[in-house]
Amino acid sequence: VDKDALDTQVKDRKIQEAAEKARNEELANEMKQNDKIMCMLEQQQKNDIRNINKAISEFQKNFQKPETRREFDLSDPQALKKDRPARLSDNDPRCTVSGLQKFIGEDLNYDQRMKFQKEQLREWSLQQQRDWKNALADQKFADDLYDKNRIELDQKTMEQQRKEEENRRAVCAATKDFNRTQAAELADRKKLEKYQKMKDDMDEISSVLQGDLLSENPEQAVSSFGRHRVITDRWKGMNQDQLMAIRYSQHQQVLEKLRLKEEERRRDAEWDRQSLQAARAQLVLERHQQRQNRERRQALDNVNAELSQEQKSKNIYLKEEAYSNFPTDQYYAQFNTTSR
């Protein structure tokens, strides 16, 4: 046993327990301090609520007296003594909209107001008549001035149209002369082009007729890469010798193909014969294996039957002779008799 290691562990354990105890005591002191602070805060909150309720009561007592309330006039015992007429003047502050004490047209100076309104309406009517006459005069002057300006503008427009018509006639005449000249030049140019095209066509026809294409010159199809190669767009076909050589080659190819087909037929027949022989041999082998398996299975069944009979005989012997005597209590008492 390592005593130094154990002492070190015990010392560490004690230090850990002392640190944990100090931490628990610090937590307990902190919880006590928090409880004291909570008690002080609750007491301060109660005092604040009490002071607020007291201040509200004092405010209601000093500044919210019953006579200052809006509905006090309904239960005022001095209401009849304090009552005044419904309206003293048109500007009485008691004549509110909701009071329904003054309507439109029921003011106290109704007669003076109506007289003033009639005088004002007469002045407005006279002023409207003067304004209407002035407006008619201005409208007549404006219409006369518009008619005068329109006549002058129509005259200028007609003069401008006359000048434009003369210019248009001059331009049409010049255009007509120019088109006539252009048509004559175009007809001459077409006639010249037609003559030149006819001449070119005749030259081309004579060139084609005299060329190697229509004359079927075989030398024209010979390629520059060798006599055995031809130019396809100029080649007119093969001669009789070449055709006979090709037919001979085709006949030889037909004979060769027939020979290959005959060899392939013989080879397939040989493969079929060999496959048939292999299948027969396989069938014989499978029948031989089946016969051997059947013989082995019969032998195995015989052996199993003998073993089963021996097992039954053994079981009968054990049951009737070997296990016929049952153990007594004395047999079991000989076990667990030593002190070991």
Side-chain angles (χ1 to χ4, degrees):
V1 177
D2 191 356
K3 186 174 182 300
D4 295 335
L6 294 175
D7 294 339
T8 303
Q9 292 180 0
V10 171
K11 185 177 181 180
D12 294 339
R13 180 74 177 186
K14 291 181 178 180
I15 293 172
Q16 185 177 2
E17 291 178 353
E20 186 175 359
K21 183 178 181 182
R23 184 167 62 255
N24 293 332
E25 291 178 355
E26 184 179 355
L27 290 175
N29 294 330
E30 187 176 355
M31 291 177 65
K32 291 179 180 179
Q33 185 69 21
N34 292 334
D35 293 338
K36 290 180 180 179
I37 293 173
M38 289 295 297
C39 292
M40 292 174 65
L41 290 176
E42 289 179 357
Q43 186 65 30
Q44 184 178 358
Q45 185 177 8
K46 292 179 180 179
N47 294 332
D48 293 340
I49 293 173
R50 189 185 305 109
N51 293 331
I52 291 171
N53 293 330
K54 185 177 180 181
I56 291 173
S57 300
E58 291 293 333
F59 179 81
Q60 291 177 351
K61 181 179 179 181
N62 295 327
F63 300 101
Q64 293 183 351
K65 296 179 180 180
E67 57 270 15
T68 59
R69 296 176 184 175
R70 184 183 303 172
E71 67 275 5
F72 179 72
D73 56 347
L74 299 177
S75 59
D76 187 5
Q78 303 293 330
L80 296 176
K81 295 181 180 180
K82 297 178 182 180
D83 193 12
R84 292 183 298 174
R87 183 174 59 175
L88 299 177
S89 65
D90 293 335
N91 297 325
D92 193 345
R94 295 178 301 153
C95 297
T96 59
V97 176
S98 61
L100 300 177
Q101 297 178 9
K102 184 182 71 172
F103 296 94
I104 298 174
E106 294 183 357
D107 53 331
L108 297 177
N109 57 348
Y110 175 75
D111 297 333
Q112 292 81 3
R113 183 172 56 79
M114 291 300 296
K115 183 179 179 180
F116 176 75
Q117 287 181 355
K118 290 179 181 179
E119 185 66 24
Q120 189 177 17
L121 185 59
R122 187 177 66 83
E123 291 293 333
W124 284 354
S125 299
L126 295 175
Q127 183 65 31
Q128 287 180 357
Q129 291 178 6
R130 289 193 295 268
D131 293 341
W132 180 253
K133 290 180 181 179
N134 294 332
L136 289 176
D138 294 339
Q139 183 66 30
K140 184 178 180 182
F141 177 75
D143 291 340
D144 295 339
L145 183 61
Y146 175 75
D147 293 337
K148 183 178 179 181
N149 292 332
R150 188 178 60 183
I151 292 171
E152 292 179 358
L153 184 61
D154 291 341
Q155 291 178 356
K156 290 181 180 179
T157 304
M158 291 176 64
E159 185 66 22
Q160 186 70 23
Q161 289 180 355
R162 186 180 60 80
K163 292 181 180 180
E164 289 179 358
E165 188 68 24
E166 292 178 355
N167 293 331
R168 191 180 297 110
R169 290 196 189 96
V171 170
C172 289
T175 304
K176 188 175 181 180
D177 295 337
F178 178 76
N179 291 335
R180 189 182 296 109
T181 305
Q182 289 292 104
E185 293 178 357
L186 182 61
D188 295 338
R189 187 166 56 253
K190 286 184 177 180
K191 186 183 296 184
L192 183 61
E193 290 177 356
K194 184 177 181 182
Y195 174 74
Q196 185 66 32
K197 186 175 182 302
M198 186 181 297
K199 183 179 179 182
D200 294 338
D201 293 340
M202 294 300 295
D203 294 340
E204 184 178 358
I205 291 171
S206 61
S207 177
V208 170
L209 291 175
Q210 296 175 5
D212 294 335
L213 180 63
L214 295 180
S215 61
E216 298 183 0
N217 185 9
E219 297 296 330
Q220 65 174 349
V222 177
S223 176
S224 60
F225 295 101
R227 303 277 309 174
H228 63 285
R229 301 180 66 177
V230 296
I231 301 175
T232 56
D233 58 346
R234 302 178 185 176
W235 188 52
K236 295 300 180 178
M238 294 181 291
N239 52 25
Q240 292 297 325
D241 296 335
Q242 292 176 344
L243 292 175
M244 290 299 295
I246 291 173
R247 292 191 183 97
Y248 178 76
S249 300
Q250 291 177 349
H251 181 67
Q252 294 296 326
Q253 290 176 0
V254 170
L255 295 177
E256 181 67 18
K257 190 172 183 180
L258 292 175
R259 186 182 62 79
L260 293 175
K261 284 184 178 181
E262 182 65 21
E263 291 181 359
E264 184 178 0
R265 187 184 62 76
R266 292 177 183 178
R267 185 167 57 253
D268 293 340
E270 182 66 22
W271 276 107
D272 293 339
R273 187 181 62 78
Q274 292 181 4
S275 298
L276 183 60
Q277 291 179 358
R280 290 177 180 176
Q282 183 69 23
L283 181 60
V284 172
L285 181 61
E286 288 179 356
R287 290 179 179 176
H288 180 67
Q289 289 180 353
Q290 289 178 0
R291 184 168 55 258
Q292 290 180 353
N293 291 333
R294 187 165 52 254
E295 292 175 357
R296 284 196 296 268
R297 188 163 54 249
Q298 290 178 358
L300 182 62
D301 292 339
N302 296 330
V303 171
N304 290 333
E306 294 177 359
L307 291 176
S308 177
Q309 188 65 32
E310 291 178 359
Q311 185 70 24
K312 289 181 180 179
S313 301
K314 187 176 180 180
N315 289 333
I316 292 171
Y317 171 75
L318 292 175
K319 182 176 180 180
E320 293 179 357
E321 297 182 9
Y323 298 148
S324 61
N325 297 325
F326 294 97
T328 61
D329 295 337
Q330 185 179 2
Y331 174 75
Y332 293 107
Q334 64 181 344
F335 300 103
N336 296 329
T337 56
T338 62
S339 61
R340 183 169 59 85

